[in-house]
Amino acid sequence: MKLVIGGATGFVGREVLRQALNSPEITSIVTIGRRPVTVVDSTNIAKLTDIVMEDGEHYSESDIEKIANADACIWTIAVARTKALTTPFDICKKVTRDYTLAGIDALTKSNNKGKPLRFIYMSGVAISRDMNQDFRKWDKTTSPEMHQLRCMLEIELVSYASNSKGKVEICCVRPGYIAGDREIPGWVPPNIPEGIPQIERRDLVAACLKMGIDGIEKDPLSNDDAVRIGEEALGRFG
């Protein structure tokens, strides 16, 4: 299986890369990001190709050749919620929305395997496809404009898949608070707001990898479903 990882240097992306490198089922990995990846364990480094792109909207012929005929993509590139409060909106939009749409388009158009690309997008628990909601209620936790952008992006991704004539399948995963690795001694979770569910990073990633290999279970994928799938699959990827 050939896997593309969008954003392999972030908190979730690093774990996607680690588990993918350890999986014998994944024979080829291509990472896309603005910074080069760092791999501590180089045992399976031969199956990794790293693409560093200064502008994620434009793919060169060489980039297209490297990502061509991918079986699945796990996409984590976005401006983080906390950084969005201090980052100009045009940059947030470019990185979060424009890079994502350019990525799914390049992957889909370069896929000639005769079966659909599985595009797994890392969304968030608060995201919905209701564009009639009052986005101002999010002004204490994130930019209302940014929240609206991410809600709209899910709609755009679903629409892209629907219009692809079967070339791509989409899954928007909506995790709650993503906790660090469970085995760290003395780890205490932060004060998570009431009503926000939690998921271990390893479980979240294992769920995404399982769907990338075996097939997408549903869209969108809730935090609880990701926990269930990830806990069952973790031993497979570890």
Side-chain angles (χ1 to χ4, degrees), residues 41-62:
D41 182 0
S42 60
T43 304
N44 299 310
I45 196 70
K47 64 180 181 180
L48 171 63
T49 300
D50 186 25
I51 300 175
V52 179
M53 300 178 65
E54 186 172 334
D55 184 352
E57 288 188 88
H58 301 100
Y59 287 72
S60 67
E61 290 185 10
S62 174

Side-chain angles (χ1 to χ4, degrees), residues 109-200:
K109 289 179 177 177
S110 64
N111 180 12
N112 300 306
K113 300 190 76 168
K115 62 179 183 178
L117 164 79
R118 292 164 180 160
F119 191 90
I120 300 167
Y121 171 69
M122 199 62 60
S123 189
V125 69
I127 304 303
S128 78
R129 295 168 194 171
D130 176 14
M131 298 306 293
N132 293 317
Q133 64 179 286
D134 183 4
F135 292 99
R136 293 173 297 178
K137 66 184 179 182
W138 302 102
D139 61 0
K140 293 183 180 179
T141 57
T142 188
S143 159
E145 293 175 316
M146 187 63 177
H147 189 81
Q148 184 177 23
L149 174 75
R150 295 199 65 180
C151 290
M152 189 64 208
L153 178 55
E154 277 205 12
I155 296 173
E156 290 180 293
L157 289 170
V158 171
S159 177
Y160 186 96
S162 177
N163 293 328
S164 73
K165 298 180 180 179
K167 291 202 69 175
V168 59
E169 296 174 348
I170 190 77
C171 176
C172 297
V173 183
R174 294 177 175 173
Y177 175 79
I178 304 172
D181 297 339
R182 60 167 64 89
E183 77 280 1
I184 298 175
W187 178 78
V188 178
N191 184 20
I192 305 170
E194 185 177 355
I196 300 297
Q198 182 174 324
I199 187 170
E200 294 283 344

Side-chain angles (χ1 to χ4, degrees), residues 94-112:
K94 183 180 181 69
V95 174
T96 302
R97 175 189 178 272
D98 299 348
Y99 285 9
T100 304
L101 294 179
I104 193 173
D105 192 54
L107 284 159
T108 303
K109 289 179 177 177
S110 64
N111 180 12
N112 300 306

